[in-house]
Amino acid sequence: MSFGRPAFNSKTAKPRKRPKARVKTKKKDPIFVNGERPRPMFVDYKDLELLKKLINRHGKIVNRRKTGCTAVSQHAVSLAIKRARFMALLPYVGE
C-alpha cells in the first residue's frame, strides 16, 4: 500500500501550461482634472457622479488598487464620501 502521490507515468503525463504574463497598465487617477492634480487636493462632496463611481453597489468605498487613485486623492475621496453620506446625498448602505 502506497501513500502520497501516485507514481509518475510519462506516457499519460501532460506538460503544464505556463500562464501568460499580463501586461499591467497604470490606471489613471480619476480625480485628476485635465491631467493635473488640483492643489490642495479636494474632492467636492456634491459631485455625486464621481463619488458613485468610487463606491460599490453595497455602498462601500472602493479601494485604491481598483480605483487607481493615489494615496492623497483616495484620502480626499473617502472624506468626500463620508461628508456626502452625512448630508444624506449618498446612502450608508446599498440596496
Side-chain angles (χ1 to χ4, degrees):
M1 188 187 303
S2 65
F3 296 101
R5 286 197 263 156
F8 180 75
N9 186 351
S10 63
K11 292 179 184 175
T12 60
K14 294 180 184 176
R16 287 187 180 173
K17 289 185 180 179
R18 181 174 288 183
K20 291 186 179 181
R22 292 183 182 147
V23 178
K24 289 187 178 181
T25 58
K26 189 166 184 177
K27 293 181 181 177
K28 298 277 186 178
D29 196 336
I31 309 305
F32 283 22
V33 180
N34 300 326
E36 294 182 12
R37 188 166 98 179
R39 292 284 195 169
M41 179 53 74
F42 176 74
V43 180
D44 190 15
Y45 69 92
K46 294 172 278 190
D47 187 5
L48 296 182
E49 288 181 25
L50 175 68
L51 296 181
K52 283 182 181 178
K53 291 178 189 175
L54 299 172
I55 61 172
N56 64 12
R57 62 190 188 112
H58 301 294
K60 289 187 173 183
I61 300 172
V62 179
N63 61 6
R64 279 182 55 204
R65 274 178 40 196
K66 291 186 180 166
T67 60
C69 290
T70 61
V72 176
S73 59
Q74 180 70 20
H75 182 73
V77 164
S78 65
L79 198 82
I81 289 173
K82 290 173 185 177
R83 282 184 181 159
R85 285 176 177 165
F86 183 76
M87 300 293 287
L89 299 174
L90 285 177
Y92 281 96
V93 294
E95 292 90 38

